[in-house]
């Protein structure tokens, strides 16, 4: 049975801060590199929304995802990102089933 947890997270920066938001999330991604159960954490930009940033996440299971989300915001790097947000993130929950990049 597949226990992986995935999500797309869309974040919109305050006007003109999309690049700074993406840069901050890349620092968060670097911290997630060592988070137990983090299989994928990719920061994405779209060409038609300069202030929107998407994060693609895959976790080995719900417990790993919860542990990462419950880390201290500063430790995870989110403390620098939060002031750049124009509003709360939007989440699309997924059940990853496989493909290139996932073992």
């Amino acid at each position: 049975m597949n226990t992986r947890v995935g999500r797309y997270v869309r974040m919109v920066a305050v006007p003109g801060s999309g690049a700074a938001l993406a840069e901050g999330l890349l620092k968060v991604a670097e911290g997630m590199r060592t988070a137990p159960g983090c299989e994928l954490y990719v920061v994405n930009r779209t060409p038609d929304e300069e202030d929107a940033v998407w994060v693609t996440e895959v976790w080995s299971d719900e417990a790993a995802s919860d542990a990462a989300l419950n880390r201290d915001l500063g430790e995870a790097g989110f403390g620098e990102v939060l002031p750049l947000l124009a509003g709360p993130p939007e989440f699309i929950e997924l059940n990853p089933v496989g493909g290139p990049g996932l073992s």
Side-chain angles (χ1 to χ4, degrees):
M1 182 170 122
N2 183 8
T3 60
R4 281 191 176 113
V5 173
R7 67 183 57 88
Y8 295 129
V9 183
R10 181 177 180 266
M11 293 174 242
V12 178
V14 295
S17 298
L21 178 59
E23 189 64 34
L25 287 168
L26 285 172
K27 290 178 185 174
V28 170
E30 200 51 43
M32 292 300 177
R33 188 178 298 278
T34 59
C38 182
E39 295 185 21
L40 185 71
Y41 195 95
V42 178
V43 178
N44 307 278
R45 303 277 314 269
T46 60
D48 59 339
E49 292 182 289
E50 73 177 52
D51 290 322
V53 179
W54 288 79
V55 174
T56 306
E57 303 178 19
V58 175
W59 299 91
S60 59
D61 55 38
E62 192 74 38
S65 174
D66 289 347
L69 290 174
N70 290 325
R71 289 171 62 189
D72 176 83
L73 292 179
E75 175 191 347
F78 286 112
E80 296 176 30
V81 170
L82 292 177
L84 298 172
L85 295 177
E90 301 169 32
F91 296 89
I92 299 172
E93 299 293 328
L94 306 166
N95 293 315
V97 294
L102 293 178
S103 55

